[in-house]
C-alpha cells in the first residue's frame, strides 16, 4: 500500500534540492503525471546533483530563490497556479542553530510566514472549487515537542510544544503561523511532524551520513555525551509516502505525527553502521568500531524522541515499508556507490563546518 497517487497535478515544492525535498520530488514525479515547480535557495545543503536524474524531465521546473522573497513567490503562484504547496525549505541542523541561530529565524520563521502570506493572497483569488481543493502542507519535526525521558509515553499530536533548541523553536514558530493562517483566514493547511530521516542525498553534517563518510575516510566517529540519546529513525521514502498520503486525504487544519517506530541509542546506531560496513566494505585499518570517539555534548541536547503514529496509521492507512535493518543497509550501500556525490559534497564549506563544530569538542 502507501504508494498513493497524488490527487494534485501541479505542485509547488520548496526546498526540493535538499535531502527530503529531493527524495520527494524524484518519487512524486516517478509516480505521478503532473508538473512540479521546485523552489530552492541552494544554501549549503541544497544540491542540484540530487536532481540530476530529472534533467530530461520537462515536468520539473527548478527555480533558484528564497521562500522569503514575496515578489518571486507572487510571480510563481500567478504564473504556474499550483494546486498545492509542500514546504520543505528550512535551515535544518540543530548544531548550526546553536552556533548561528539568526538564519533559522530568517528562513524558518520569517520565510515561512511570507510564503504563507503570499499563498493566502493567491488562494483568495481562486474559484470556489480550486479554493476548496487547494492545500498548503508544512513539513515539520517532532523536535517541537521537546525531550522525553526513558519511560515517558511517545509524542502524540496533543503533546504540548516545548522546543529546546533554536532550530526547534524556529520550527515551532512556523507551525504556529501555519495553524493561525488556517484558524484566522481559513487557508487549507496540513502539518506533518516527523522523526529523524535517513537515506540517499542527506548532507553529511547529520549523524548517519557523517558516520558513513568518516568511516570511508577512516576518521573518528564523534559521539556526543554518553551516546545514550535516543532517536526514532524513518527511511526517507517512507516519509515522502506519508506526505503524499496527508496531502491526498489529510483533514484540513490537522497535524499528523510520522515516525518509524525504530527507537535506538546513538551509540547502538553507530555500532550498527560499523558492523554493516565491516561486512560489506572492510577496511585494511581494522574494525570501524575502533573509530568511535566520545566528544563534548551538544548544549541542551534532547534526550529522547519517540513518535506515536496511531493517527496517521488509522486515519490515512500509512505505515512504513522499510524496517530499520533494511533501510540502513540500503542507505550505506547508496553512499558507497555514490562516491562522486560524497566527494563533491565534502569539498569547500563542508570542511569549514567540520572545523567549526568539532575542533574544540
Ligand atoms: P536540508 O537542509 O537537507 O534541505 C533544506 C533545503 O531547503 C535545502 O535544499 C536548502 O537549499 C533549502 N532552503 C534553505 N533555506 C531556503 C530559503 N530561504 N528559501 C528556499 N529554499 C531554502 O533539510 P531536510 O533534512 O531535507 O529537511 C527538510 C524539511 O524537513 C525541513 O523543514 C526540516 O525541518 C524537516 N524535517 C527534517 C527531518 C530530518 O530528519 N532531516 C525530520 C523531520 C522534519
Ligand atoms: O527529529 C527530527 C530532526 O532530526 C529533524 O527535525 C532535524 O532536521 C534533523 O537534523 C534531526 O535532528 P537531530 O539533531 O536528531 O539529528 P542529528 O543527525 O544532528 O543528530 C542525531 C543524534 O546524534 C543526536 O542525538 C545528536 C547526535 N550526534 C550528532 C552528530 C552530528 C552525535 O552524537 N554526533 C554527531 O557528530
Amino acid at each position: 500500500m502507501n504508494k498513493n497517487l497524488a490527487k494534485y497535478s501541479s505542485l509547488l515544492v520548496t526546498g526540493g534540492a535538499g535531502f527530503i525535498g529531493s527524495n520527494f520530488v524524484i518519487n512524486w514525479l516517478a509516480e505521478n503525471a503532473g508538473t512540479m515547480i521546485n523552489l530552492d535557495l541552494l544554501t549549503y545543503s541544497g544540491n542540484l546533483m540530487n536532481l540530476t536524474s530529472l534533467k530530461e524531465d520537462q515536468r520539473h521546473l527548478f527555480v533558484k530563490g528564497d521562500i522569503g522573497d514575496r515578489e518571486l513567490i507572487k510571480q510563481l503562484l500567478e504564473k504556474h497556479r499550483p494546486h498545492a504547496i509542500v514546504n520543505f525549505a528550512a535551515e535544518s541542523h540543530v548544531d548550526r542553530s546553536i552556533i548561528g541561530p539568526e538564519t533559522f529565524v530568517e528562513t524558518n520563521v520569517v520565510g515561512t510566514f511570507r510564503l504563507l502570506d503570499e499563498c493566502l493572497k493567491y488562494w483568495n483569488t481562486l474559484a470556489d472549487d480550486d479554493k476548496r481543493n487547494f492545500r498548503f502542507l508544512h513539513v515539520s519535526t517532532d523536535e517541537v515537542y521537546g525531550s522525553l525521558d526513558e519511560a515517558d509515553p511517545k509524542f502524540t499530536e496533543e503533546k504540548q510544544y516545548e522546543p529546546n533548541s533554536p532550530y526547534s523553536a524556529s520550527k515551532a514558530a512556523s507551525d504556529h503561523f501555519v495553524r493561525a493562517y488556517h484558524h484566522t483566514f481559513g487557508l487549507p493547511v496540513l502539518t506533518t511532524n516527523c522523526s529523524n530521516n535517513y537515506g540517499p542525498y542527506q548532507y553529511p553534517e547529520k549523524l548517519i551520513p557523517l558516520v558513513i563518510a568518516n568511516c570511508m575516510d577512516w576518521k573518528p566517529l564523534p559521539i556526543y555525551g554518553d551516546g545514550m540519546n535516543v532517536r526514532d529513525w524513518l527511511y526517507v521514502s517512507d516519509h515522502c509516502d506519508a506526505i503524499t498520503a496527508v496531502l491526498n486525504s489529510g483533514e484540513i487544519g490537522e497535524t499528523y505525527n510520522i515516525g518509524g517506530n525504530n527507537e535506538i541509542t546513538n551509540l547502538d546506531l553507530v555500532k550498527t553502521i560499523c558492523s554493516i560496513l565491516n561486512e560489506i566494505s572492510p577496511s585494511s585499518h581494522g574494525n570501524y568500531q575502533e573509530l568511535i570517539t566520545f566528544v563534548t555534548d551538544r548544549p541542551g541536547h534532547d534526550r529522547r524522541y519517540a513518535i506515536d503514529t496511531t493517527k496517521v496509521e488509522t486515519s490515512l492507512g500509512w505505515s512504513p515499508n522499510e524496517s530499520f535493518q533494511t533501510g540502513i543497509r540500503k542507505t550505506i550501500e547508496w553512499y558507497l556507490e555514490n562516491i562522486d556525490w560524497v566527494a563533491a559534497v565534502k569539498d569547500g564549506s563542508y570542511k569549514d563546518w567540520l572545523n567549526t563544530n568539532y575542533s574544540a569538542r
Side-chain angles (χ1 to χ4, degrees), residues 14-21 39-47 65-68 87-92 107 139-142 167 171 194-197 201-203 205-206 239:
T14 72
F19 163 49
I20 305 173
L39 173 69
D40 194 298
L41 189 57
L42 295 180
T43 65
Y44 74 93
S45 68
N47 185 350
D66 192 331
I67 56 165
N87 183 33
F88 292 97
E91 287 294 330
S92 67
T107 288
V139 179
S140 191
T141 172
D142 60 355
Y167 163 68
K171 291 297 288 187
C194 189
S195 62
N196 288 60
N197 283 217
Y201 304 120
Q202 188 168 30
Y203 192 80
E205 63 187 352
K206 308 283 165 64
H239 185 190

Side-chain angles (χ1 to χ4, degrees), residues 92 141-143 167 196 207 222 224 231 266 298 301 358:
S92 67
T141 172
D142 60 355
E143 299 203 11
Y167 163 68
N196 288 60
L207 182 65
Y224 296 165
R231 296 291 182 267
N266 294 337
R298 173 186 279 176
H301 195 176
Y358 295 98

Side-chain angles (χ1 to χ4, degrees), residues 33 42 45 75 80 111 132 137 173 195 215 221 295 311 316 327 335:
L42 295 180
S45 68
Q75 279 171 20
H80 300 285
R132 214 175 5 261
L137 191 152
S195 62
C215 284
L221 310 179
V295 300
K311 182 175 175 181
L316 304 182
Y335 284 92

